Amino acid sequence: LAVRSTYGMRFPWIHLIDPSWAMQNAARIFPKDPSQRRLWEASWDAYLNFCNPYDDVLEPLVEHYRTAIERLREPNASERKSANPEAQLAAHLMGYYWRGKLSIDGDDGLIRGFFANAPEKAKAYAVETIGRWLFQIKQAKNRVEPSAQKRLVTLWQWRLNEAR
């Protein structure tokens, strides 16, 4: 488990050094087979907790993000951890969304899947995360680029419509 968590924690750097190797071995680092569930959790949770959502690693990890989103449906999923991988998953997805790497209606289905499967606290954390980032930008007296602002407004409108 410790070795797997190290691979997960260092996956972006592994990908940076050798993208081809990382693509070929992502399924070994993050095994989806139910019999290797603890290995997946060790590597995936370490990845979420220690890594930022780097654009270059989205493609090799899309299926693993999808697996994490599907597993949000499991009863007591958030109670089995000392850390909060659901919150980190939310932050990763919002980071990719902010930068236009994911969309609400994207073929990958990650944003819709997250909001369909996540517990209420994780959904709230996703929106709160964007709010914190906007506050930091405002405090630094910077501006949000117009395309990102448009995506964020679209997300908020969609969430409001879903709530209604």
Side-chain angles (χ1 to χ4, degrees):
L1 294 177
V3 171
R4 290 305 172 107
S5 67
T6 300
Y7 273 105
M9 184 181 354
R10 300 294 182 220
F11 187 80
W13 292 272
I14 293 168
H15 186 271
L16 180 67
I17 293 167
D18 192 343
S20 176
W21 189 92
M23 291 282 285
Q24 293 169 359
N25 289 282
R28 288 178 56 208
I29 294 169
F30 306 101
K32 289 171 52 172
D33 185 295
S35 68
Q36 296 182 318
R37 175 67 176 260
R38 291 185 66 217
L39 296 176
W40 181 86
E41 288 176 352
S43 58
W44 186 253
D45 291 355
Y47 166 71
L48 288 178
N49 284 308
F50 291 100
C51 301
N52 289 321
Y54 297 109
D55 293 349
D56 292 348
V57 298
L58 177 58
E59 181 182 347
L61 296 181
V62 164
E63 288 305 315
H64 304 288
Y65 277 105
R66 187 171 287 113
T67 297
I69 289 167
E70 289 168 4
R71 290 181 176 174
L72 289 171
R73 292 183 192 172
E74 296 174 357
N76 303 319
S78 62
E79 294 173 11
R80 68 174 186 265
K81 305 277 188 253
S82 57
N84 190 346
E86 290 83 7
Q88 292 305 107
L89 177 60
H92 273 233
L93 295 172
M94 293 302 96
Y96 286 128
Y97 179 81
W98 181 303
R99 295 191 309 272
K101 301 299 178 185
L102 296 176
S103 66
I104 294 170
D105 295 315
D107 291 339
D108 50 64
L110 296 179
I111 298 297
R112 283 192 180 274
F114 173 79
F115 281 102
N117 294 341
E120 295 302 317
K121 283 185 177 182
K123 293 177 194 179
Y125 189 83
V127 176
E128 178 187 326
T129 296
I130 291 174
R132 276 194 317 275
W133 293 338
L134 288 170
F135 180 75
Q136 290 169 354
I137 288 170
K138 181 180 178 184
Q139 290 296 99
K141 298 189 184 332
N142 292 328
R143 300 180 67 72
V144 176
E145 68 177 68
S147 60
Q149 184 176 356
K150 183 177 179 181
R151 279 191 299 279
L152 296 175
V153 169
T154 299
L155 178 71
W156 294 323
Q157 289 173 336
W158 172 61
R159 295 308 305 149
L160 278 172
N161 288 338
E162 291 290 309
R164 288 183 184 136

